[in-house]
Structure formats: C-alpha cells, structure tokens
Amino acid sequence: MFGKKKKSESPSPDEVVSKDNPKESKKKGGKKKGDNTDIVPAAEPQPSGKKKRKIFPTKLFANKKLMVLFLVLTLVAVGTAGFVVYKIYFSKKSGDKEKDYVQQELVNIVLAEEVIRFTYDFIPELYDYMIIFNSEIIILENELKRLTALGEKFPDQIKITEKEINSIEKEKTKLQQTYEKLQKRVESLYVSYRTNQETGAQQIQEQKNDIVQISKDALTPTLEITNRIKASVQEKIPEGFVNETIYKVRKKINSLLK
C-alpha cells in the first residue's frame, strides 16, 4: 500500500560470505570485472638541470663582523706565538744555531763564538762590518808580504817599497785598534744582556747606532787602499829566462790574433 516501505531484498549468498569472512571473499572472488586499480610504482625523481648551490658549512663567516673579528683574533694569536718563540729562542744555550746562521772562521776577530752570535742577532750591521774587517786585514797582510818580497828582490829600490809598506801598516794598525775597542764594547753588552735582559736590551738600543757608525767610518779609508790593490794586481810572470820568454811570445801571439 501507499506509504508502506518495501521490505529489502535478502542478500545473495556471495555477499553474505564476503561480510562474514573477508578472506574467503578474496580467495574465491579474486578481482571483479572492471576493477583495474593495480598499484603503480612511484616514479623516481629525475635530477634537475640546475645545480644545487653549495652552502658554507659554518655560519661563522656568514656575518661579516664575525669574519673580521675572527681574522683579528688570528693575527693576535700569530703575533703572540711569534713573540713566545722569540723569547724561547734567545733563552736557549749559545750552542743552538739558527738555520740561516753559519759559523765562520774569523781569524782577526778575538771575540768568543757566543759573542759573535750575539752580535749577529742584536747588531747585524756590525756583524757584517766585522766580516769585511776580517777580509780587509787579510788583503793588507798579503800586500805587505808582496811588497816586502819585492823590496828584497830589488834592494837598491827598497825605499819605494818601504814607503808603501809604512802607509799600509799605519792604516792596518789604526783599523785593528778601532775594532779592538768595538769588540770590547760588544762583549760588555753581551755580559750585560746575559746578566739582566731588560737593562741589557736597553743598553743595546742606546749604543748600537754609535757602534755601527764607528765601524763603518773605520773601514772607509782601508777600503780605498784594498780597492786600489785589487785593481793594480800584477799578472804573475813565470820565473826563469826560458819560461818568461815563452810566456811573452804567447802573449804577443794572442794579442795579434785578437
């Protein structure tokens, strides 16, 4: 009749089974027609053509102020380390050598090796002049030997050689006396520094310019003499009549062939 609801139709046996036991439904029924909902594997992401921008691993340098601060602290640390190494180095024993320092045989220097090294470290200009002084004395001594032999070979002309010998000896003695005084001053500075580094360093600063100037002024006239000696070095002629004649003939031939 109108207004009454129809009774629902009874469910089919298959539907009853599927409700009661879903597993049995899967075994018996399998896939239904038209059920094409197979699972499709997800596609792997393809690399894009754009390169990823590398990001600096730390955030410290992202801030310019922090970068400047870092550099300043680094410089301070390096400077402090250098000062410490310097202090440690000069507190070592005198036998320890720095790579760029080479011990030399200075026959005309009467200072002990540790004092020479001290001069090298604290008054390097004086050390250089001491090397020159040593070599200049050797040149003067060799020239005196040559002139003495020449005077003995020609005794009638010995006054000529004696005059030059006296001039060189005078300059040599003057130079040696000046450097003896300088060496005593350096030795005094060395002992003062080893006794009290603070006062010793102050004395070095006060005296080193004067010491360097005196050493330079003392070498100036000597260098004029030795430069003249080097420029006027006579060629060695072989001794003996035959050897001397052969030498002169060869020299004449060589001059004609030029």
Side-chain angles (χ1 to χ4, degrees):
M1 291 181 68
F2 183 78
K4 290 185 179 179
K5 295 182 180 180
K6 294 182 179 182
K7 292 182 179 180
S8 61
E9 296 179 356
S10 60
S12 63
D14 290 336
E15 291 178 27
V16 172
V17 173
S18 62
K19 289 180 180 179
D20 295 338
N21 193 348
K23 294 182 179 179
E24 290 295 329
S25 174
K26 289 182 180 179
K27 289 180 181 179
K28 293 181 180 181
K31 292 183 179 180
K32 296 181 181 180
K33 287 185 178 182
D35 190 6
N36 295 327
T37 60
D38 293 339
I39 298 173
V40 180
E44 295 180 1
Q46 298 296 325
S48 61
K50 296 181 180 180
K51 294 183 179 180
K52 291 184 178 181
R53 187 177 180 184
K54 295 182 179 180
I55 301 174
F56 200 78
T58 61
K59 297 180 180 180
L60 176 61
F61 296 104
N63 192 324
K64 292 183 179 180
K65 292 183 178 180
L66 290 177
M67 181 183 289
V68 173
L69 179 61
F70 176 81
L71 293 175
V72 170
L73 292 176
T74 302
L75 293 174
V76 172
V78 171
T80 304
F83 177 78
V84 171
V85 171
Y86 176 85
K87 296 297 291 182
I88 292 174
Y89 171 76
F90 284 111
S91 65
K92 292 181 179 180
K93 295 181 181 179
S94 59
D96 296 333
K97 302 296 177 186
E98 199 177 35
K99 289 182 179 180
D100 58 350
Y101 174 78
V102 180
Q103 182 177 349
Q104 301 185 46
E105 184 180 1
L106 304 175
V107 295
N108 296 298
I109 301 295
V110 297
L111 292 173
E113 173 58 25
E114 58 265 32
V115 182
I116 296 175
R117 176 57 194 272
F118 168 81
T119 307
Y120 173 86
D121 291 327
F122 289 94
I123 317 178
E125 297 90 347
L126 176 61
Y127 177 83
D128 294 337
Y129 285 132
M130 286 169 58
I131 301 296
I132 298 173
F133 161 78
N134 183 75
S135 61
E136 291 298 292
I137 293 296
I138 294 173
I139 294 173
L140 294 178
E141 289 176 346
N142 290 335
E143 180 65 6
L144 290 172
K145 291 178 182 178
R146 187 187 73 83
L147 293 174
T148 301
L150 182 62
E152 292 175 353
K153 188 174 182 180
F154 301 97
D156 293 340
Q157 310 299 329
I158 197 170
K159 290 183 178 180
I160 300 175
T161 56
E162 282 183 346
K163 182 179 179 180
E164 185 67 14
I165 288 172
N166 292 333
S167 176
I168 293 176
E169 284 183 339
K170 181 180 179 181
E171 189 58 44
K172 174 175 171 285
T173 302
K174 182 181 177 181
L175 181 63
Q176 286 177 322
Q177 290 175 349
T178 301
Y179 267 80
E180 285 176 3
K181 294 178 181 178
L182 289 173
Q183 290 175 76
K184 289 180 180 179
R185 289 182 65 178
V186 172
E187 190 175 68
S188 176
L189 289 174
Y190 171 78
V191 174
S192 297
Y193 182 79
R194 288 304 179 190
T195 303
N196 187 320
Q197 290 191 0
E198 185 177 353
T199 58
Q202 184 178 355
Q203 291 179 14
I204 293 170
Q205 292 298 322
E206 293 174 352
Q207 299 185 34
K208 70 177 184 178
N209 291 336
D210 183 53
I211 291 175
V212 170
Q213 190 62 46
I214 292 174
S215 61
K216 180 180 178 181
D217 293 341
L219 279 171
T220 301
T222 305
L223 288 170
E224 293 177 358
I225 296 175
T226 54
N227 288 337
R228 176 171 52 83
I229 293 171
K230 294 173 185 177
S232 62
V233 174
Q234 297 180 358
E235 57 182 338
K236 294 183 179 180
I237 300 175
E239 296 182 357
F241 177 76
V242 177
N243 293 332
E244 183 178 350
T245 303
I246 294 173
Y247 174 81
K248 289 181 178 179
V249 170
R250 285 180 177 176
K251 184 178 180 181
K252 186 68 175 178
I253 292 173
N254 290 333
S255 63
L256 292 174
L257 292 175
K258 290 182 180 180

